[in-house]
Amino acid sequence: MSPSKKTNLVAFLFIFGMLGMSLSAIPLNDESLQLKEEKTNLLTHNANVSFEGYQEDSVYSYSTLSSGGYSQCIITEDLEVVCWGSNEQGKRGLGGAIGGESTTPEGQAGPWLVQNLASRGNMVEVSTGGWSSCALNDIGEIWCWGGGEYGQLGSGNDVCQESGGLTCWYASNHPPLQVSLPNGKTAVSLSDANQGHFCAILNTGEGLCWGWHGYGQLGDGTVCTGGSEYSSDNNPSPVGCNSFNGRYTPVIVSESNFPTNSSFISISTGYQHTCGIIDNNDLYCWGRNDDGQLGIGSMADVNYPLPQFVASNVIAVGTGDDHTCALYQSQTVKCWGANYDSQLGTGDNFWFSSPTAINLSANIPIISLEVAYKNTCAISEQLVPYCWGANWWGQTGNGGGDYTHQSNPLAIGVNDAFIDFGETPNVIATSINGNTLCIIHAGQNNSSMSLGDVVCGGQSYRGQMGDGNWNTSWGDANLSHVNLSSDSIGPASYQGAGGIHISDRDIDSDSIIAILDNLPYGCPDGSYDSNYDGSCVSADVGHYSTNLLYHSQVPCDVGAYQPNVGQASCIASSPGYYVDTNGAQSQRACPLGTYQPDYSQENCIDASPGHTPNIDSTDQVMCSSGYFQPNAGQEFCNPTTPGFYVLNPGSLNQFGCEPGTYQPNFASSSCIEASLGYFVENSNSTNQEICISGTYQPDYSSTSCLDSEPGYYVENDGSSTQTPCGLGTFSTSV
C-alpha cells in the first residue's frame, strides 16, 4: 500500500485501523486460597467492552505491539517477532556482523522477521527501545538484540570493546542474547522500553531491571558512576556497570520501601525514571526527578535509586521521557511531571510534581493507558481512544492548529468531519514512539477495518509507517494501514501466519478486565463464578472447584467424596470404603462379606471362597483350621459340624471323619482316634462305640471289636484285652 502524503489530517486518519489479539496472560501463582465466606462480591463495575487488547507493562496481558525510536515491532500469530522502520544499532535484528548494521537497509523498510530468534522459543511479548529490542518467550526467557552500549542487552557480559583508547566499540547489531535472570527464576512480563533500559517482572513477583543506570532508574539502590568513553578515565562502579554507566548485569528492584511479601503487577520504564505498581495497587517511582516525574511532590533534580511511594489505588502506569501518568481504580487518569508539550493533558502547560487529574470527564471510564516520550493516550470503555501531548506530525489526532501540541485529551474519530467511525471507533490498543502513533483495531460494522488491523500515522521518517518506504525526509507525515499478511513480511523465506497476536484483557472470562478485577485470575480455589459477573460462590458439598475452572463446579467422581463446602478437591475413598455415585458427600463402608484394600474405589470385592473380610474390611483372610466357607462374599467362615473336621486354613469344605475316628465337637481341625476297647465303624461319626463283654480291642482307631478266642474270655465292656480261662475252666465259644 503506497503512502498517502499527509498535510493537516494525518493523525486523525491513522488512529482507526486497529488490530486485536488473543494471547492469554501467565499467570503468576495458583496457590490454593480458602474462602472465608460463602460468597465474595468482587467489583460492582461490569464494563461491556471488547476484551481483546492489552494494558502495556501489566502482568495480566502481553503487549504485542511496541513502538520505539522510529520503529515498531509486533508478535505475529505464529509467535515470531516482526519489526519495521529504523534499524538503528541493529534493533530490528536484520542480521549482519556485529557493529555492521545499516540504519535504513535497502529493501527492508517494511515488516521483516527478526533473524536468529526462531530457535529461541515462542515469543509472547515484545519491547523495542531507542537502540535495542527484547522479547519474552513462553517459557519465561528474555532475549535482546541490537545495541548494548548502555548494557541494555542484559546478558551479564559487557559487549563494549576497547579500541584506540575508546571504551565502547562493536556494541551494536548484536544477535539475540539471553538476558541473565536469577538462577531458578523466570520472567512473566516484559516492560515496554522508552529508551535505554528495560525491566521485567519475575515469577516470584520481583522486579528485574538492566540498561542505562546513570540516575538510579534500575531501582536497586545504586547508581552507575565513573564510566567514560575514554579508556584512561574509565572506572565504572559498582561491578556490572560499564563505561557508559549502563548496567549489563540485571539487578533486582529493591523492596525495602514496600510492605512485606509484595509483588509487582506492573513496571513501566521511562527515559531516566521507572515506575511500578505492587499487588496492593500502591504506585512507586524511582530514578531521576528533575521535572517532577516521580510524583513525590518535588521538582528538585535529585536521583532516587530506591522506589518512592506515589499513590494508592493505581491499576496501570505509563512513563514518558519526563512525565508519568497513572490509571486509578476509579477509571480516571492523573499525570505529573514536565508539561511543555501538554503531555499531562491538563489543558495547560503547567508542570506538576504530584498526580493531577487530566482534563477529561470522570463520566468517561478509562480501561487502558499508554505513555511514551512526550505523548499519552487512553482508551475508554467504549473503545474510544483519547490522546494528548506532542503533535508535531498530527500524531495525537489534532489535524488543526499549530501542530505542536494537543493540550486536552482528544477523542479520535468520533463523528469527525473527515474521519467518521460513528460513536465507537473500536480501538483496542495504542502504541507511541514519540512521533508516530500506531493503533490496533477491533473491527466493527461501519468500518473498513477488521479485528487485528494495525494503522500507523504521524511522522513517516525512516520507514515507521510500515509501508515499505524509508521516507528519509524529516518532514514527511503519513497514514498507513500496515500489511501484516505472510506474503508482505520479509524475508521471502518466511512462510508463517503473519498478522498480530491478540492479547485478552479478561483472563478469567468474568466480564471484568483483569486490571479492574480484584481476582484477575478467577475465584479462589474452592469457589467459582457461576454468573460470569465477578461474584464467587463456594463449591457445594459433593463438588469441588479450582481457580482454573473459573465458572463451574465439578461433582466428585466415583471413588471420591466431599462432605464440606468450598473445597478445591475431593477426598479419595479409604480402604474398606467405596463411593459408587458422582457428587457423593460421604463414603460408604464395604458391605458384609466384601473388602477393599485400595483408595479411590467405586465398589468392594467379594471375599473369596475359603475366606472372609478382616475386621476393617481392608483385606480378606483365610478361614482358620476348623472352619470353612464354600461360597464367595460371606461375612463369616463356617465351623465344622460334629463328625467333620478342617485341617488346613482357607478350606472351602469340611471333611468327614474316617472310620476308626470320630469328632463330637464343632470347629474341629482333626478327628479323634477310637480308644482301646472302642471302635468307630462308620464315617462322619460323632462318637466311638464301646466293645461289649466277650469282645475287646487292643488297638486305637479300630473300626470293630475282636471276639475273645477259645480258651479266653472278656468279662467287662470296653476291654482292650481278653483273659485266659483259669485252671479247671475252658471256653469253647468264639
Side-chain angles (χ1 to χ4, degrees):
M1 177 179 178
S2 61
S4 166
K5 294 295 179 184
K6 191 62 192 110
T7 56
N8 60 352
L9 304 180
V10 80
F12 287 114
L13 300 170
F14 86 76
I15 300 193
F16 309 95
M18 315 200 165
L19 279 137
M21 316 172 180
S22 55
L23 183 67
S24 56
I26 302 171
L28 285 175
N29 173 333
D30 61 354
E31 183 178 322
S32 297
L33 301 173
Q34 188 165 3
L35 280 184
K36 298 198 175 171
E37 299 179 3
E38 186 169 339
K39 182 171 182 176
T40 301
N41 290 321
L42 302 183
L43 293 169
T44 57
H45 172 84
N46 187 9
N48 182 20
V49 299
S50 168
F51 294 118
E52 290 91 0
Y54 57 82
Q55 171 54 56
E56 196 167 82
D57 304 322
S58 171
V59 295
Y60 302 129
S61 56
Y62 292 126
S63 302
T64 53
L65 168 63
S66 177
S67 301
Y70 311 115
S71 63
Q72 283 77 30
C73 293
I74 65 162
I75 301 292
T76 63
E77 289 285 13
D78 51 344
L79 305 183
E80 301 278 7
V81 178
V82 165
C83 302
W84 63 89
S86 173
N87 187 43
E88 188 171 0
Q89 295 199 22
K91 67 174 178 175
R92 282 182 54 195
L94 297 177
I98 293 175
E101 77 282 352
S102 169
T103 299
T104 55
E106 183 177 354
Q108 295 179 309
W112 204 273
L113 188 71
V114 173
Q115 302 299 292
N116 303 312
L117 195 60
S119 62
R120 312 303 186 187
N122 294 324
M123 299 298 157
V124 295
E125 191 160 33
V126 65
S127 172
T128 185
W131 309 281
S132 54
S133 302
C134 297
L136 168 69
N137 68 17
D138 58 0
I139 60 173
E141 298 171 342
I142 299 174
W143 295 82
C144 297
W145 59 94
E149 62 188 1
Y150 295 110
Q152 64 266 46
L153 302 183
S155 66
N157 297 309
D158 187 3
V159 298
C160 288
Q161 298 181 32
E162 288 194 20
S163 178
L166 297 177
T167 58
C168 197
W169 286 70
Y170 306 107
S172 64
N173 207 41
H174 282 267
L177 300 177
Q178 187 172 359
V179 173
S180 178
L181 304 182
N183 289 336
K185 298 179 182 180
T186 57
V188 297
S189 179
L190 175 65
S191 65
D192 195 22
N194 185 289
Q195 292 283 350
H197 74 289
F198 293 83
C199 291
I201 299 174
L202 302 178
N203 60 338
T204 56
E206 296 168 296
L208 185 79
C209 298
W210 63 97
W212 197 10
H213 193 35
Y215 300 92
Q217 56 263 57
L218 303 190
D220 69 332
T222 69
V223 175
C224 285
T225 60
S228 172
E229 61 180 306
Y230 301 106
S231 300
S232 58
D233 299 326
N234 187 42
N235 185 28
S237 175
V239 175
C241 297
N242 71 2
S243 59
F244 277 26
N245 289 326
R247 183 125 197 167
Y248 55 83
T249 301
V251 292
I252 296 291
V253 177
S254 173
E255 300 177 0
S256 60
N257 290 338
F258 299 165
T260 305
N261 298 322
S262 296
S263 296
F264 277 107
I265 59 173
S266 180
I267 299 180
S268 178
T269 57
Y271 180 43
Q272 296 168 342
H273 76 294
T274 308
C275 293
I277 307 169
I278 59 175
D279 51 5
N280 66 354
N281 295 111
D282 282 351
L283 172 66
Y284 291 78
C285 294
W286 56 94
R288 192 174 187 182
N289 191 49
D290 58 325
D291 294 313
Q293 61 264 52
L294 298 191
I296 57 176
S298 168
M299 288 189 186
D301 189 0
V302 176
N303 299 331
Y304 290 87
L306 291 174
Q308 305 295 306
F309 174 78
V310 180
S312 297
N313 304 315
V314 177
I315 57 175
V317 63
T319 51
D321 278 356
D322 38 25
H323 82 289
T324 305
C325 294
L327 174 59
Y328 288 74
Q329 289 175 327
S330 60
Q331 294 186 258
T332 58
V333 175
K334 294 181 180 180
C335 298
W336 56 94
N339 200 26
Y340 44 81
D341 275 314
S342 299
Q343 56 262 55
L344 302 189
T346 54
D348 51 42
N349 293 110
F350 296 114
W351 297 23
F352 296 93
S353 60
S354 298
T356 302
I358 63 173
N359 191 22
L360 182 68
S361 170
N363 294 324
I364 301 176
I366 300 300
I367 62 169
S368 182
L369 179 68
E370 159 75 346
V371 181
Y373 294 79
K374 299 168 180 63
N375 293 88
T376 309
C377 288
I379 299 174
S380 72
E381 280 187 358
Q382 289 72 37
L383 302 186
V384 175
Y386 293 82
C387 294
W388 59 94
N391 194 46
W392 309 312
W393 287 272
Q395 67 266 37
T396 56
N398 183 352
D402 58 8
Y403 309 107
T404 58
H405 61 266
Q406 172 64 39
S407 59
N408 290 304
L410 176 68
I412 299 173
V414 180
N415 295 327
D416 185 85
F418 300 102
I419 308 295
D420 186 1
F421 283 120
E423 295 295 333
T424 54
N426 275 18
V427 171
I428 58 175
T430 60
S431 184
I432 309 168
N433 72 1
N435 302 325
T436 298
L437 172 63
C438 293
I439 62 171
I440 301 173
H441 202 272
Q444 67 178 65
N445 293 334
N446 65 337
S447 169
S448 62
M449 302 300 176
S450 302
L451 174 65
D453 281 352
V454 174
V455 175
C456 295
Q459 187 189 34
S460 55
Y461 180 64
R462 288 189 177 176
Q464 54 189 321
M465 290 297 100
D467 58 6
N469 296 310
W470 280 117
N471 299 313
T472 55
S473 172
W474 177 258
D476 280 351
N478 206 358
L479 171 74
S480 174
H481 179 182
V482 183
N483 189 344
L484 294 173
S485 65
S486 177
D487 292 342
S488 298
I489 295 175
S493 59
Y494 174 70
Q495 299 295 317
I500 186 169
H501 223 3
I502 302 174
S503 194
D504 194 334
R505 288 191 176 96
D506 180 16
I507 303 169
D508 59 355
S509 302
D510 63 355
S511 299
I512 301 175
I513 61 175
I515 60 171
L516 285 168
D517 197 338
N518 284 345
L519 298 170
Y521 296 109
C523 295
D525 286 342
S527 64
Y528 65 103
D529 177 11
S530 59
N531 296 320
Y532 291 74
D533 62 359
S535 61
C536 296
V537 295
S538 296
D540 297 329
V541 293
H543 296 71
Y544 73 95
S545 186
T546 69
N547 169 261
L548 297 178
L549 292 172
Y550 294 144
H551 306 294
S552 62
Q553 61 177 349
V554 179
C556 296
D557 201 356
V558 292
Y561 67 101
Q562 182 50 259
N564 301 312
V565 299
Q567 300 302 306
S569 63
C570 294
I571 303 170
S573 61
S574 306
Y577 293 83
Y578 73 103
V579 177
D580 61 355
T581 60
N582 292 320
Q585 300 178 29
S586 61
Q587 60 182 349
R588 301 170 63 185
C590 287
L592 299 176
T594 67
Y595 70 98
Q596 181 50 258
D598 299 319
Y599 291 89
S600 304
Q601 299 301 306
E602 60 180 293
N603 53 40
C604 294
I605 305 167
D606 286 344
S608 305
H611 295 74
T612 186
N614 61 11
I615 191 170
D616 53 8
S617 299
T618 58
D619 203 354
Q620 63 177 354
V621 294
M622 291 190 293
C623 295
S624 60
S625 298
Y627 291 83
F628 69 101
Q629 181 49 260
N631 300 314
Q634 300 302 304
E635 179 182 5
F636 303 111
C637 294
N638 300 326
T640 59
T641 53
F644 291 81
Y645 75 99
V646 171
L647 174 63
N648 297 315
S651 181
L652 280 61
N653 301 296
Q654 61 180 346
F655 301 93
C657 292
E658 297 290 334
T661 65
Y662 69 100
Q663 182 51 262
N665 301 314
F666 291 89
S668 299
S669 60
S670 62
C671 294
I672 304 170
E673 294 179 333
S675 305
L676 299 180
Y678 290 80
F679 72 98
V680 176
E681 181 179 8
N682 300 313
S683 300
N684 309 334
S685 293
T686 60
N687 55 63
Q688 61 182 346
E689 296 182 61
I690 193 168
C691 292
I692 61 175
S693 58
T695 65
Y696 70 100
Q697 182 47 263
D699 298 318
Y700 293 97
S701 303
S702 297
T703 59
S704 62
C705 295
L706 302 177
D707 291 334
S708 60
E709 298 173 352
Y712 290 83
Y713 71 98
V714 175
E715 181 178 7
N716 299 315
D717 293 343
S719 179
S720 61
T721 60
Q722 59 183 343
T723 303
C725 293
L727 294 175
T729 64
F730 68 96
S731 174
T732 59
S733 60
V734 179

